[in-house]
Amino acid sequence: TVSLPEPTMFARFKHLKIRHKFTVVAALSVPMFALPTTLLLRNNLAEIDTAATASAGMPAAADALRLIQYTQQHRGLSAQALAGGAAQESQRQAKSAEVGQALARVATHADKHPEVARQLATVQQQWPSLAGAVAGKSIQGSESYARHTEAVATEIMVLSGLAEAA
């Protein structure tokens, strides 16, 4: 019978101690796991960066949501005040001040984004005349409602712009 010579690599491997065999197997296994692990880590780090960027925009979005909420509340209080509800007048005045403060807070975020700042400027320009017309009762309830609703629609576009910019 003729015996074939063993390839030299396997002959050497066959005569290694068990701990050396495990070391060789581990050394060969590391590259097999390194590439998928690296790709997975890169993907996870990219997702973490995206989440961090999104969370950085949360204060701006929260301020914009408050502005929308206050404007809607002012709309309701204005309707009551214009319909003769004197009891709501002090609440409406307080809400009007809150809207003004919320506009100022949102403006600090919008300054970084020209399109958003332009949209917010529209609300900032129209708000004093609307609030003044309601305070002076020189506006009809239906017109007040329509102008408040228009302001809210613009504020929603501001919120959207701030969310997209984050």
Side-chain angles (χ1 to χ4, degrees):
T1 64
V2 176
S3 68
L4 295 173
E6 257 186 80
T8 58
M9 183 174 84
F10 292 116
R12 288 182 186 159
F13 189 75
K14 188 176 183 181
H15 297 292
L16 289 176
K17 293 181 181 178
I18 190 76
R19 69 174 185 224
H20 292 129
K21 288 179 183 180
F22 277 114
T23 302
V24 170
V25 170
L28 293 173
S29 300
V30 166
M32 291 179 3
F33 291 104
L35 180 63
T37 302
T38 301
L39 294 174
L40 180 67
L41 285 174
R42 280 187 185 171
N43 186 34
N44 288 346
L45 291 174
E47 288 177 9
I48 289 170
D49 287 344
T50 301
T53 301
S55 68
M58 293 304 290
D63 287 343
L65 283 171
R66 265 189 235 98
L67 172 61
I68 294 167
Q69 178 185 18
Y70 294 161
T71 304
Q72 291 172 330
Q73 290 170 347
H74 187 269
R75 177 177 57 194
L77 291 168
S78 295
Q80 291 174 351
L82 290 172
Q88 285 77 22
E89 183 58 27
S90 63
Q91 291 176 328
R92 188 207 56 77
Q93 289 174 353
K95 194 57 66 178
S96 180
E98 287 179 335
V99 171
Q101 293 167 357
L103 275 168
R105 279 193 305 275
V106 173
T108 63
H109 303 294
D111 288 343
K112 301 168 193 140
H113 314 288
E115 180 59 26
V116 175
R118 185 189 62 72
Q119 292 170 336
L120 185 63
T122 302
V123 177
Q124 288 173 314
Q125 291 167 358
Q126 295 172 355
W127 177 251
S129 68
L130 174 57
V134 171
K137 297 190 184 213
S138 60
I139 189 172
Q140 294 293 318
S142 59
E143 184 182 348
S144 169
Y145 184 85
R147 288 177 61 186
H148 276 92
T149 301
E150 183 180 319
V152 168
T154 304
E155 292 166 3
I156 290 172
M157 289 190 304
V158 168
L159 170 62
S160 177
L162 289 172
E164 287 175 11

